[in-house]
Amino acid sequence: MGISMKSTPGKILASVTLVGAAAAVAGLGTYGAFTSTTNASQEVKAGRVVIELGGTVNTISNPVAGLLPGDSVEKFVTLSNTGDSDFNAVTLTTTASTGTLLTSDVLNGLQLTVEACTTDWVAVANGPDTCAGSKTVVASTPILGTRVLTAPASLTATKSDHLKITTSLPTNAGDAFQGLTSTVNFTFDATQRTASVK
């Protein structure tokens, strides 16, 4: 005996049958569902790029007086990479907060030479101070400007450069330089190493 879809009871019965069948099929999905869960945590810490000036002998800020043509003065400072990351480059920028012909004349004005030693410099009375370790000239330019230091040890984390900073007045500096005063500022900047896949 078939269900008559023309009568209301027949339509209700057919709807109930379909709903029951759908529930039975849905119920099949709740049986035998295997699951598994796992997890992990990862600490991420950013590196630190830190450059510092210091050292047991730090005379870079000591004033210089009485410089004559042909004279030079040597100052010392230790440049250190005290962070936990290598550097890509270290630059030295020198500017004049008070400028005169001493700093503006690139040929006859003050000249700058920066040398790095693997050990502390050895002071020599009335003569050029010496390096007992390995010595490298990392910059040699007119007093003002920005220059990239050539292969300093401080490119590597925890390493340092013992720097001798020599300021000299060329022998061809004429009478126009007499009595002039300039103040030179030294700024060392470090940039991070090239990014890599860790």
Side-chain angles (χ1 to χ4, degrees):
M1 171 171 157
I3 299 172
S4 173
M5 298 302 290
K6 294 182 180 180
S7 65
T8 299
K11 292 178 181 178
I12 293 174
L13 181 58
S15 298
V16 171
T17 302
L18 289 173
V19 170
V25 171
L28 290 176
T30 63
Y31 295 101
F34 295 165
T35 64
S36 177
T37 302
T38 188
N39 58 66
S41 60
Q42 180 186 68
E43 182 182 76
V44 178
K45 183 179 180 181
R48 296 172 63 247
V49 173
V50 184
I51 191 170
E52 292 183 346
L53 290 177
T56 54
V57 180
N58 184 346
T59 60
I60 191 172
S61 297
N62 294 355
V64 178
L67 204 61
L68 298 175
D71 283 350
S72 61
V73 60
E74 298 172 343
K75 300 293 186 179
F76 303 95
V77 70
T78 299
L79 180 70
S80 301
N81 180 341
T82 58
D84 55 15
S85 298
D86 292 346
F87 299 152
N88 188 53
V90 176
T91 60
L92 168 59
T93 300
T94 44
T95 57
S97 54
T98 55
T100 63
L101 201 58
L102 284 170
T103 53
S104 63
D105 188 328
V106 296
L107 294 177
N108 304 313
L110 295 172
Q111 302 297 305
L112 179 72
T113 301
V114 182
E115 298 169 275
C117 183
T118 54
T119 62
D120 283 327
W121 288 86
V122 178
V124 176
N126 300 318
D129 296 315
T130 61
C131 169
S134 299
K135 180 180 71 174
T136 306
V137 176
V138 294
S140 183
T141 62
I143 191 72
L144 298 186
T146 298
R147 70 283 291 166
V148 177
L149 300 188
T150 305
S154 54
L155 290 179
T156 303
T158 74
K159 299 296 184 181
S160 298
D161 293 289
H162 304 278
L163 300 180
K164 178 172 75 170
I165 299 173
T166 303
T167 303
S168 59
L169 185 62
T171 55
N172 54 347
D175 286 341
F177 290 84
Q178 290 195 59
L180 298 181
T181 299
S182 289
T183 300
V184 179
N185 305 306
F186 293 80
T187 302
F188 293 88
D189 290 300
T191 55
Q192 70 164 54
R193 60 162 175 75
T194 303
S196 64
V197 177
K198 306 298 282 181

